[in-house]
Amino acid sequence: MKKLFSLMAIIAIVLSANCSRIEQNDDPIIGIWVEASTLSEESTFKTTVRKEWIFNDVYLGRYHEINGNDITLKTDFKWSQENGIYTVEYRGLEDKPNDMVTIQNNEQGVLLQKTDGDLLAIKE
């Protein structure tokens, strides 16, 4: 009787472990998106400012602002998508408003475009 109970317990464990699969998220926003600009302080000295969004598959991400070689701002964000419009909600930054963007394809590549028409970032 103990063997039968042990066998049934093992079968129940195996079956319950197989039922809890994590659904894979293959949204096209997942990846690294960048905006880079060059600021000229003098004619011979240039500083590059790079903004970087890293979107992951569990609806979270990390945002960086890099000035030259120094990270000047780093924060986490969460993202969601509804009817093709992505909302990026920054955590811990009260002065940074949420971004509402769509994904656009053109000759430059894959772009994140704000709902007001401005370019936010290009996919790396």
Side-chain angles (χ1 to χ4, degrees), residues 5-6 8 12 14 18 37 39-40 56 58 62 68 87 91 115:
F5 181 70
S6 297
M8 289 177 64
V14 169
N18 287 337
S37 58
L39 303 175
S40 291
N56 70 28
V58 292
R62 167 93 21 114
T87 303
R91 298 179 175 179
T115 54

Side-chain angles (χ1 to χ4, degrees), residues 42-100:
E42 297 176 13
S43 60
T44 59
F45 180 72
K46 293 184 180 180
T47 302
T48 301
V49 177
R50 177 182 167 103
K51 296 178 182 179
E52 183 176 273
W53 293 261
I54 304 169
F55 290 83
N56 70 28
D57 62 345
V58 292
Y59 302 97
L60 298 172
R62 167 93 21 114
Y63 172 73
H64 299 112
E65 286 184 12
I66 305 164
N67 191 345
N69 292 327
D70 300 322
I71 297 176
T72 57
L73 179 64
K74 178 170 52 172
T75 190
D76 294 327
F77 63 83
K78 69 178 186 174
W79 63 272
S80 59
Q81 187 267 127
E82 187 173 328
N83 297 325
I85 298 175
Y86 294 87
T87 303
V88 180
E89 298 177 42
Y90 300 95
R91 298 179 175 179
L93 296 178
E94 295 175 10
D95 59 337
K96 186 154 181 65
N98 295 345
D99 285 320
M100 307 269 297

Side-chain angles (χ1 to χ4, degrees), residues 3-37:
K3 289 182 182 182
L4 178 62
F5 181 70
S6 297
L7 179 63
M8 289 177 64
I10 291 171
I11 290 172
I13 291 170
V14 169
L15 290 176
S16 66
N18 287 337
C19 293
S20 60
R21 295 184 187 204
I22 298 172
E23 189 174 321
Q24 185 173 358
N25 185 352
D26 59 352
D27 196 287
I29 201 166
I30 295 172
I32 300 173
W33 299 78
V34 296
E35 174 196 338
S37 58

